[in-house]
Amino acid sequence: MKRAIRPRRAIARASGFTLIEMLVAIALLAVIAVLAWRGLDATVRGRDDVTSNLAETRLLGRYFSQLQFDMINLVTPDEVFGPPLRIRRDELVLIRHLGVGNSPTQVQVVRYQLKGHELMRSASQPLSSLSQLADALHHMDDFASVVASDRARGMTLAVWVPQVGWTGDQKVLDSTYARFLQVHGVSNGTSVGLPLPRGIRFTVTVGASPVEFVRTLPIGQ
């Protein structure tokens, strides 16, 4: 009985893969590698974005905490013979107490500002006279500053004045302080409850996909 003899081509076919099959396998591996890389890249980018946002949120938290502390220590208009709080476009300027313990009373000019996309806080050196205060108010660009965010898109300010409500009009603020000085001159216990600004609302928009942060803080102690 004779064995069947396979054709030589059939034997070669059974011993390996064809070139086409190898090319198809390589193409599939390339597609899988590209998909995996895109997934990994998206994961890394997402992690970096989360880390960056958390760091920025912490800085904004400190920024608002400092604003709250400054507002608590805001001077009264009779101490500086004028408005201790000034609102401008993308800018808040205030004058605060700086005396600690039994040390001589000093004041400091503080500016919160949106410059380009940078949300900044800057402050003067301690000031002990009205002449130094006037000079500092004319040289605020020389103050040392700290940037809380370089992705800010907008900044809105408003103060609460009794019988007026929320306002961002500096003229209303000036007239309110002027009435206080005209009636009382020197601050005393009867000034409590007068129509001075009693609160401030600070709104800032941050990020490429804008996120709005709003803080409402009391003014004074």
Side-chain angles (χ1 to χ4, degrees):
M1 186 175 177
K2 295 183 179 179
R3 292 183 179 179
I5 299 175
R6 296 182 181 180
R8 185 174 299 176
R9 181 177 296 178
I11 296 174
R13 176 69 179 84
S15 63
F17 298 101
T18 65
L19 178 60
I20 293 177
E21 290 172 334
M22 292 295 292
L23 291 175
V24 170
I26 292 172
L28 289 175
L29 289 174
V31 171
I32 294 172
V34 169
L35 293 176
W37 169 253
R38 287 183 177 178
L40 179 61
D41 183 60
T43 300
V44 172
R45 288 176 181 271
R47 183 199 62 189
D48 292 343
D49 288 343
V50 169
T51 302
S52 175
N53 289 337
L54 285 175
E56 188 171 61
T57 301
R58 282 195 294 268
L59 284 174
L60 286 173
R62 294 174 188 170
Y63 189 81
F64 286 123
S65 295
Q66 184 63 62
L67 174 63
Q68 182 177 14
F69 183 78
D70 291 339
M71 286 299 166
I72 289 174
N73 290 282
L74 191 72
V75 303
T76 54
D78 57 291
E79 294 178 272
V80 293
F81 298 96
L85 194 64
R86 305 175 188 188
I87 294 176
R88 302 171 185 171
R89 180 179 176 83
D90 294 333
E91 182 181 79
L92 169 67
V93 177
L94 61 93
I95 306 170
R96 51 162 283 192
H97 288 120
L98 202 60
V100 179
N102 296 323
S103 62
T105 300
Q106 294 179 309
V107 298
Q108 185 179 44
V109 178
V110 179
R111 177 165 68 168
Y112 290 84
Q113 180 186 25
L114 176 61
K115 188 175 183 180
H117 292 304
E118 291 185 335
L119 186 64
M120 308 166 61
R121 178 188 183 272
S122 55
S124 71
Q125 296 294 321
L127 310 169
S128 55
S129 68
L130 291 176
S131 60
Q132 289 180 350
L133 174 61
D135 183 68
L137 288 170
H138 285 89
H139 296 89
M140 291 188 290
D141 289 338
D142 297 333
F143 294 174
S145 62
V146 175
V147 177
S149 173
D150 59 2
R151 301 193 306 145
R153 298 286 184 254
M155 175 179 169
T156 306
L157 298 160
V159 294
W160 173 264
V161 179
Q163 302 175 5
V164 175
W166 289 108
T167 178
D169 189 342
Q170 182 63 36
K171 292 181 179 179
V172 174
L173 207 53
D174 289 342
S175 64
T176 299
Y177 283 125
R179 285 196 301 271
F180 174 90
L181 290 172
Q182 183 179 8
V183 173
H184 290 276
V186 178
S187 178
N188 53 54
T190 61
S191 67
V192 177
L194 286 177
L196 289 176
R198 295 300 178 187
I200 186 167
R201 185 171 61 203
F202 192 108
T203 305
V204 60
T205 305
V206 177
S209 300
V211 178
E212 190 174 78
F213 295 86
V214 182
R215 292 293 183 274
T216 303
L217 304 170
I219 296 176
Q221 306 224 7

